Amino acid sequence: MTIATDDAAPPAEADDPTPVLLTVEEAARCLRIGRTTCFALIRTGELESIDIGRLRRVPADAPAEYLARRRAAQRAA
């Protein structure tokens, strides 16, 4: 049995499983910290986040950027 496909297939980027935005819980798991601590970092501006309607999302590269800043600060100290 064959499945009919449209000639207008979605672009390859649609198949990319890499997330662009993370939930606060996902960002917390990436950093191995608790949800409350993650919200505290967001509140102080240490961890970048954006509002989408009533949702709070963290750019996927923000946890790595936060970690890089923390490591640089520790090296400088």
Side-chain angles (χ1 to χ4, degrees):
M1 178 177 175
T2 59
I3 299 174
T5 59
D6 279 343
D7 289 333
E13 295 86 29
D15 295 333
D16 186 7
T18 307
V20 175
L21 296 173
L22 305 172
T23 64
V24 174
E25 291 80 7
E26 290 169 336
R29 278 196 301 271
C30 286
L31 292 169
R32 303 295 195 263
I33 60 175
R35 180 179 173 272
T36 303
T37 302
C38 194
F39 271 111
L41 292 173
I42 289 169
R43 189 172 36 259
T44 62
E46 294 180 72
L47 182 63
E48 180 186 0
S49 72
I50 61 170
D51 289 325
I52 300 177
R54 294 178 60 196
L55 303 174
R56 172 74 60 180
R57 293 294 182 257
V58 176
D61 59 345
E65 290 173 3
Y66 166 75
L67 180 59
R69 285 192 308 275
R70 289 292 305 255
R71 291 177 80 183
Q74 280 191 337
R75 287 185 193 128

